[in-house]
Amino acid sequence: MRAEIVSIGTELLLGTITDTNASYIAQRLAVLGIDCFYVSQVGDNLGRLVETLDRAWERSDLTVTTGGLGPTLDDLTREAIAAMLGETPVVNAELEADLKRHFARRGVEMPQRNLKQATLIPSAASIANPIGSAPGWLVRGETASGRRMIVSMPGVPFEMKRMWEQEVEPLLRSSGTEVITSRTLKILGLGESAVEEMVADLMSGSNPTLAPYAKQDGVHLRITAKGAGLDAAEEEIAGLEAKVRERLGAAIYGTDDDTPHGVVGEMLRELGLKFVLLEVGDGAVGSISPLLGSDMSALGAFAAPDLAALTRLLGGNEAGCCATLEDAAMSAQKLTEADVVVAIEVSSAPQEEQIGSLLISSEIVVLAPVSGEQQRVTRHRQSWRTAPSEARRLVGLSAISLLRHRLLRLRAG
């Protein structure tokens, strides 16, 4: 089944509201195995609405609209559908009675202009909306290309979602469409191009499909499959996922809703390790704390503009200033009795040829046990030419990736 979404309302075109309805419906269509090929927005203009709906009626099996079902003069969805099909809206007695009861429960008399919300055309049936005044429309018809359906729902998100979940989705599920489902594999320590190169030959299939995305928490590989049911679709995903994991191995840190800090935090808890964080340099402060999450910094986080200031925070003095980042990590370990210390030092220099860009240099030290009382230090140095906020994100992800790989080795014994 081919579907498209039409969001109706001039306020969408003016940018005064964000079209969250279309995003929600597109996701729900995918779960049902319905292919969504088009998403459009159109203002409250009858001519342009008719033109948009007529195009959708010709090319899509299912058209889902939101908005334009209110009682005011600029609510034109019903009128546009009627004009497009050449039918005349007529007040439905049962809908009128329901509408009057809705207002009576609120203790007010129904305004005459709301009567348009009780109209139907011969091709339409109403869709119940017990939490609002605007029932939806379910329109069925035929074209030379096949059967067609229009589902029109209110633009108010909570009314639309209730109508979709309780009324529309069960109807579509009963139509016997296939199921589409996805699983996202999340990767740290490799760039998007490197990941794509490693799995390039696995990306040519049509079912399941494999696609890479660069995201704020690393690279995502999304596997999407279609099947006669959820079990069949998930079986398709499992086969491709096994091949991807064989290629990428430990670079995959999680799936779907997993986060870098959630995964590493769980590993720390599983291994019973106490953790402390050090951040040195104006460019370092705040680079990793938000990524790790407060639950991981149980023993605290120390941030300072330089090593001398960090020494004072750790209870030392100028004479005994930590000479290196590794010295600072060891001092913090003694002070807090932490099992694991992650220390980050960042320096930056403006780039005259690129306004707003900095040359960011970072050093990351991870002090973690190997086994028993043994300790191992992991060091990493890297530079970027980028904006400060982006550099902080990259430094933070690098630190988490280093820590995760140390914990993986520790867990493996």
Side-chain angles (χ1 to χ4, degrees):
M1 180 181 286
R2 300 164 301 173
E4 70 179 273
I5 301 167
V6 179
S7 301
I8 299 167
T10 301
E11 63 275 13
L12 294 169
L13 303 180
L14 295 175
T16 56
I17 65 171
T18 301
D19 188 8
T20 58
N21 286 346
S23 176
Y24 170 83
I25 294 167
Q27 292 176 49
R28 299 309 305 167
L29 287 171
V31 171
L32 293 171
I34 298 174
D35 297 312
C36 182
F37 289 158
Y38 305 97
V39 177
S40 58
Q41 297 176 341
V42 60
D44 301 311
N45 176 279
L46 186 60
R48 288 190 287 273
L49 256 174
V50 171
E51 178 186 353
T52 301
L53 292 172
D54 185 57
R55 183 170 61 244
W57 184 257
E58 288 301 318
R59 69 187 181 187
S60 299
D61 305 307
L62 169 66
T63 301
V64 182
T65 78
T66 61
L69 295 181
T72 62
L73 293 175
D74 61 351
D75 290 309
L76 298 169
T77 300
R78 299 178 188 84
E79 290 85 343
I81 295 173
M84 187 263 294
L85 295 175
E87 300 183 20
T88 302
V90 176
V91 174
N92 178 278
E94 186 176 345
L95 289 179
E96 180 182 5
D98 287 342
L99 199 58
K100 288 180 177 179
R101 283 192 291 270
H102 170 80
F103 281 93
R105 287 193 296 269
R106 296 166 54 192
V108 295
E109 185 176 348
M110 185 187 79
Q112 189 62 27
R113 67 182 184 183
N114 283 82
L115 195 58
K116 67 182 290 185
Q117 295 179 300
T119 59
L120 287 175
I121 57 175
S123 299
S126 65
I127 305 175
N129 181 15
I131 59 175
S133 64
W137 269 21
L138 174 64
V139 180
R140 299 179 188 270
E142 297 249 359
T143 69
S145 302
R147 294 180 180 178
R148 296 292 187 259
M149 181 188 303
I150 299 175
V151 171
S152 293
M153 300 182 293
V156 180
F158 73 89
E159 291 186 30
M160 181 278 298
K161 288 181 180 179
R162 190 270 170 203
M163 185 177 290
W164 178 268
E165 292 168 5
Q166 301 297 319
E167 309 294 338
V168 178
E169 195 163 297
L171 173 70
L172 296 175
R173 284 187 184 279
S174 67
S175 66
T177 56
E178 292 180 298
V179 170
I180 295 179
T181 189
S182 297
R183 180 170 303 142
T184 300
L185 305 181
K186 297 186 173 182
I187 297 130
L188 272 182
L190 295 172
E192 183 183 12
S193 58
V195 170
E196 184 171 350
E197 185 175 335
M198 295 172 72
V199 297
D201 61 308
L202 301 178
M203 295 171 58
S204 58
S206 58
N207 186 41
T209 60
L210 181 67
Y213 303 90
K215 298 291 187 177
Q216 291 294 301
D217 59 348
V219 177
H220 292 187
L221 276 176
R222 181 175 300 157
I223 306 173
T224 303
K226 180 184 291 188
L230 185 59
D231 289 344
E234 289 185 339
E235 186 175 342
E236 294 283 352
I237 285 178
L240 183 54
E241 180 180 354
K243 296 177 181 178
V244 173
R245 288 185 177 277
E246 185 177 354
R247 305 278 181 90
L248 299 181
I252 300 173
Y253 73 83
T255 62
D256 296 331
D257 295 330
D258 288 336
T259 62
H261 72 265
V263 168
V264 174
E266 183 57 36
M267 293 174 73
L268 287 167
R269 286 187 288 272
E270 175 190 327
L271 294 167
L273 300 177
K274 294 176 290 184
F275 169 82
V276 71
L277 171 67
L278 307 180
E279 295 179 288
V280 186
D282 291 335
V285 175
S287 62
I288 189 172
S289 297
L291 294 171
L292 288 177
S294 58
D295 59 324
M296 286 180 56
S297 300
L299 297 180
F302 299 87
D306 52 44
L307 284 173
L310 182 62
T311 300
R312 292 192 294 272
L313 278 177
L314 297 174
N317 52 48
E318 295 292 342
C321 174
C322 299
T324 66
L325 196 60
E326 185 178 334
D327 292 339
M330 290 180 174
S331 295
Q333 187 177 47
K334 291 177 183 177
L335 176 67
T336 63
E337 298 184 351
D339 302 295
V340 177
V341 180
V342 174
I344 303 171
E345 185 174 15
V346 177
S347 60
S348 60
Q351 298 294 287
E352 294 181 0
E353 70 276 10
Q354 192 172 354
I355 298 174
S357 177
L358 298 175
L359 174 61
I360 309 290
S361 300
S362 69
E363 180 180 5
I364 302 168
V365 170
V366 176
L367 184 63
V370 179
S371 61
E373 297 298 319
Q374 290 181 302
Q375 294 286 336
R376 177 176 293 173
V377 177
T378 303
R379 300 178 188 84
H380 177 77
R381 290 183 174 89
Q382 196 166 354
S383 297
W384 297 271
R385 280 182 170 84
T386 186
S389 59
E390 177 64 4
R392 284 193 291 270
R393 183 184 71 84
L394 293 171
V395 173
L397 288 179
S398 293
I400 288 181
S401 182
L402 287 174
L403 175 57
R404 176 175 165 270
H405 281 284
R406 283 293 304 113
L407 296 177
L408 284 173
R409 289 195 292 271
L410 182 60
R411 187 165 64 181

